[in-house]
Amino acid sequence: MTTTDLAAGQAVAPRTLPKAGAALDRWRVPLTIAVLAVLPFVLPSQALAVNVLIYGLFTVGFNLLFGYTGLLSFGHAAFFGAGAYLTGMSIAHFGFGWFPAMLTGIVGASLLSAVIGALSIRTRGIYFCMVTLALAQLVYYVALQASGWTGGENGLRGFTVAKADLIGGFSVNLLNPLAKYYFIMFFAALALWFVSRVLNSPFGAAIEAVRENETRARACGFDVERTKLLSFVLSGGLCGLAGTLSALHLSIVPLDALSVHTSSIVVMMTMLGGAGSFFGPFVGALVFLLIEDVASLWTSHWQLIVGIVFILFVLFLPKGIWAA
């Protein structure tokens, strides 16, 4: 059943996918994890592979709101940065362990997304974009001014997690790049499984119905505002998880984590990979970071090359690499 049919309340036969497409859809989480598992061995560096994991997860969270719900936010750096800052501050100022610090970051980002979502979903279109951008900038300036907690424009420093103690007396040496990669990949895999379950649930059909036609969805009995708010919070929580992993990876939280630049990067990655597709976010993050990594070796003006490539993709592959 297509989302348009669902919004119209029509009883139609389930959509029949081609065999290859159906198999790909059924095994999408294991396939994505299998590809991610070999990334450290095929990319130029393990640091690049870790960035693909973190920004891929960030893009997955953003895509849930933009690609599947149809709401374009220009302020998702607020949730990524909130997760990173709250994790770093929990360790640096309160001496939390890595797991309570991660929980603090995820819960804090989710609560922040609930507040920003409740204020912004009252608007539509460009007004929604501008409200999310304005509220994210407010978060940015709060972090800038609270320098005693956040480090101000120098960013938060002074915390390093050398190892992660696990259940049963096991521990992961986070100073080992490969061990750190698979540690972060474990949480990315959990997030992918969670997103896949959400998309296959009635709620997943509801958010796509809202994206296709909000008026029809409301006429069919969907609580559109609640659906959009819940999607916003889930998206913010996933972006917060990406932020917590970034803090554990870098052992610093730069102020740029909350900047407009970070919000624009996630939009570009999603459009490159293909908004509204399960595999698109990681494809977009991989291509964007690979272009950035290669171009920065040639010239300090690598942003110009990335911008030209992005324009070419938008002109000739408007639905993104994966959809094409």
Side-chain angles (χ1 to χ4, degrees), residues 141-261:
Y141 283 106
V142 167
L144 178 64
Q145 294 300 318
S147 56
W149 289 92
T150 63
E153 61 183 356
N154 295 321
L156 181 66
R157 300 170 188 271
F159 68 94
T160 300
V161 179
K163 68 174 184 176
D165 294 322
L166 307 176
I167 298 174
F170 297 100
S171 63
V172 178
N173 179 11
L174 297 183
L175 299 179
N176 182 319
L178 198 58
K180 181 194 289 186
Y181 177 86
Y182 287 111
F183 174 78
I184 292 175
M185 199 189 87
F186 171 76
F187 292 99
L190 280 182
L192 285 172
W193 172 81
F194 174 74
V195 170
S196 180
R197 295 290 294 174
V198 168
L199 295 178
N200 282 337
S201 70
F203 176 73
I207 60 174
E208 291 190 59
V210 170
R211 179 193 64 189
E212 295 293 327
N213 193 316
E214 191 174 319
T215 304
R216 280 188 176 186
R218 184 175 285 105
C220 290
F222 290 108
D223 189 335
V224 172
E225 281 69 29
R226 184 178 296 178
T227 301
K228 290 198 295 188
L229 179 59
L230 184 53
S231 176
F232 202 108
V233 173
L234 290 176
S235 174
L238 289 167
C239 294
L241 172 60
T244 64
L245 296 173
S246 173
L248 294 179
H249 167 51
L250 298 175
S251 296
I252 61 169
V253 183
L255 186 60
D256 279 350
L258 291 166
S259 69
V260 178
H261 176 67

Side-chain angles (χ1 to χ4, degrees), residues 7-214:
Q10 297 174 352
V12 297
R15 181 180 57 183
T16 303
L17 292 173
K19 286 185 178 179
L24 199 63
D25 190 61
R26 189 182 310 116
W27 294 95
R28 59 190 181 184
V29 175
L31 284 173
T32 308
I33 293 172
V35 172
L36 294 178
V38 300
L39 274 188
F41 305 103
V42 296
L43 290 181
S45 69
Q46 291 174 343
L48 176 60
V50 172
N51 282 336
V52 171
L53 271 184
I54 292 172
Y55 280 93
L57 181 56
F58 184 21
T59 311
V60 165
F62 175 76
N63 189 43
L64 186 63
L65 185 69
F66 174 50
Y68 287 100
T69 315
L71 298 174
L72 175 57
S73 165
F74 281 165
H76 257 49
F79 314 125
F80 181 82
Y85 268 111
L86 289 172
T87 300
M89 288 192 294
S90 298
I91 298 171
H93 298 310
F94 301 105
F96 282 14
W98 66 273
F99 190 65
M102 282 188 66
L103 287 180
T104 304
I106 296 168
V107 172
S110 300
L111 292 175
L112 179 63
S113 64
V115 174
I116 292 180
L119 294 172
S120 58
I121 63 168
R122 301 168 186 272
T123 58
R124 295 180 180 178
I126 189 63
Y127 302 105
F128 177 84
C129 303
M130 292 298 104
V131 170
T132 52
L133 175 62
L135 293 173
Q137 284 300 98
L138 182 64
V139 175
Y140 175 91
Y141 283 106
V142 167
L144 178 64
Q145 294 300 318
S147 56
W149 289 92
T150 63
E153 61 183 356
N154 295 321
L156 181 66
R157 300 170 188 271
F159 68 94
T160 300
V161 179
K163 68 174 184 176
D165 294 322
L166 307 176
I167 298 174
F170 297 100
S171 63
V172 178
N173 179 11
L174 297 183
L175 299 179
N176 182 319
L178 198 58
K180 181 194 289 186
Y181 177 86
Y182 287 111
F183 174 78
I184 292 175
M185 199 189 87
F186 171 76
F187 292 99
L190 280 182
L192 285 172
W193 172 81
F194 174 74
V195 170
S196 180
R197 295 290 294 174
V198 168
L199 295 178
N200 282 337
S201 70
F203 176 73
I207 60 174
E208 291 190 59
V210 170
R211 179 193 64 189
E212 295 293 327
N213 193 316
E214 191 174 319

